[in-house]
Amino acid sequence: MSFSCSSRLSSMPLFALLIACLVGASMGGNFFQDFDITWGDQRAKILNGGQLLTLSLDKDSGSGFRSKNEYLFGRIDMQIKLVSGNSAGTVTTYYLSSQGPTHDEIDFEFLGNVTGEPYTLHTNVFSQGKGNKEQQFYLWFDPTKAFHTYSIVWNQQRIIFLVDNIPIRVFHNSESIGVPFPTKQPMRIYSSLWNADDWATRGGLVKTDWTQAPFTASYRNFKASACVSSPGSSCTSTSPNSLQDSTWQVQALDASGRNRLRWVQQKYMIYNYCTDLKRFPQGIPAECKRSRFL
């Protein structure tokens, strides 16, 4: 069975979408099979038979990779261990994106800091080329000491950002009130490690200490439970277990999830565009008027 993701998913009723997306992929990843190193020469390495990938940054260049597949809705999980020590000026990214001036994008960005100070986790959502929906957080653990799981759940109703399966942000589909939402453009997974010391740490006041280079971030245990868009714009089945891994299609927060989201946002959120009245003197964006805890 196959169908056109880009032309048919957006018009399907929820039950039909649920059935159709059962043909999506559910797979535990091998980096050789699932990703291409896209830049950085030998600074990006796939190790341990495809079970581990590392990105490095030095004064000459950073590095990056992208998925071979494109996805149209799904759940994406990746375990990442961030740059340790003095990571000020560095940015590690992990995101979904399509291409072109009206691209869609769902972002995790990890902004480094001096030794002993916390990373800033920056999130954003772009639809039809428009972003400006930033929320930023500190983490409740040291993300450089061990691997932690960073997840994106993307379905027709909402986007959920999770850290170790704890929701930190929900962005709802508010197309009914004129707010664009990514529903039509398949996206690849991208990740990179690069120098951004003109803005990344304290607005660019703290520069990268190149005596600490090379800086290295590590990745493992990639998993995608998703609709995979083939070159012919169809979703294809690659897993016999897709039925049991299909919960992302209607995933929302239950009472426990809402409590965890509230805990994170009350204790660890450091910026929310929805409360930045100086930035939006004519009034906050329409989607912000909905409770962020739903």
Side-chain angles (χ1 to χ4, degrees):
M1 174 182 178
S2 65
F3 59 94
S4 170
C5 291
S6 57
S7 63
R8 291 178 60 186
L9 277 180
S10 61
S11 61
M12 284 185 175
L14 181 59
F15 178 74
L17 174 64
L18 181 66
I19 298 301
C21 276
L22 294 181
V23 303
S26 174
M27 62 189 117
N30 179 289
F31 286 105
F32 282 122
Q33 297 174 0
D34 298 325
F35 292 92
D36 292 317
I37 292 171
T38 50
W39 62 287
D41 297 323
Q42 300 304 310
R43 295 173 183 85
K45 298 178 181 179
I46 299 176
L47 306 167
N48 297 351
Q51 299 305 303
L52 178 70
L53 187 151
T54 61
L55 295 181
S56 292
L57 164 69
D58 57 35
K59 199 167 186 178
D60 293 324
S61 179
S63 51
F65 64 90
R66 74 174 190 182
S67 63
K68 297 179 187 291
N69 287 326
E70 292 182 308
Y71 304 92
L72 186 63
F73 304 118
R75 176 172 178 141
I76 308 297
D77 302 288
M78 184 81 79
Q79 290 191 339
I80 307 174
K81 183 163 65 172
L82 296 175
V83 173
S84 61
N86 184 358
S87 60
T90 71
V91 175
T92 306
T93 67
Y94 160 58
Y95 60 102
L96 288 165
S97 183
S98 59
Q99 296 297 304
T102 59
H103 77 291
D104 295 340
E105 189 171 319
I106 305 169
D107 287 343
F108 278 107
E109 295 186 357
F110 304 90
L111 313 184
N113 213 333
V114 296
T115 302
E117 295 298 318
Y119 266 80
T120 296
L121 171 52
H122 175 99
T123 67
N124 203 354
V125 176
F126 287 75
S127 185
Q128 300 176 23
K130 297 179 180 179
N132 300 321
K133 297 175 176 63
E134 302 91 347
Q135 290 184 358
Q136 295 183 336
F137 306 83
Y138 289 145
L139 294 166
W140 50 96
F141 53 84
D142 184 343
T144 74
K145 298 298 186 185
F147 285 90
H148 292 269
T149 303
Y150 303 91
S151 306
I152 295 168
V153 173
W154 169 35
N155 58 39
Q156 285 200 324
Q157 296 79 40
R158 62 193 60 84
I159 296 164
I160 308 173
F161 296 78
L162 303 107
V163 177
D164 290 337
N165 215 35
I166 296 173
I168 65 168
R169 178 180 185 178
V170 180
F171 183 79
H172 294 279
N173 184 339
S174 300
E175 288 181 308
S176 61
I177 56 173
V179 180
F181 186 85
T183 58
K184 296 180 175 64
Q185 299 186 57
M187 295 193 271
R188 295 185 192 273
I189 304 164
Y190 293 84
S191 191
S192 60
L193 173 58
W194 53 290
N195 178 47
D197 66 3
D198 56 334
W199 64 269
T201 306
R202 294 183 59 201
L205 294 177
V206 182
K207 302 299 182 182
T208 303
D209 180 2
W210 293 112
T211 66
Q212 304 298 309
F215 305 96
T216 301
S218 302
Y219 301 76
R220 72 180 188 188
N221 290 348
F222 161 70
K223 183 180 180 183
S225 301
C227 286
V228 176
S229 179
S230 76
S233 296
S234 63
C235 288
T236 55
S237 176
T238 61
S239 171
N241 298 319
S242 55
L243 230 173
Q244 78 178 69
D245 292 328
S246 64
T247 57
W248 58 265
Q249 295 167 57
V250 292
Q251 187 167 339
L253 299 188
D254 58 13
S256 174
R258 290 192 295 272
N259 286 337
R260 288 183 168 196
L261 177 68
R262 186 176 292 108
W263 172 75
V264 171
Q265 296 204 345
Q266 290 178 348
K267 288 185 174 292
Y268 297 101
M269 177 182 279
I270 57 174
Y271 178 78
N272 181 5
Y273 78 107
C274 284
T275 60
D276 192 343
L277 299 181
K278 291 183 179 179
R279 184 177 175 187
F280 302 105
Q282 304 305 315
I284 62 173
E287 70 271 14
C288 296
K289 297 173 184 177
R290 179 174 184 171
S291 172
R292 66 181 187 267
F293 300 126
L294 294 178

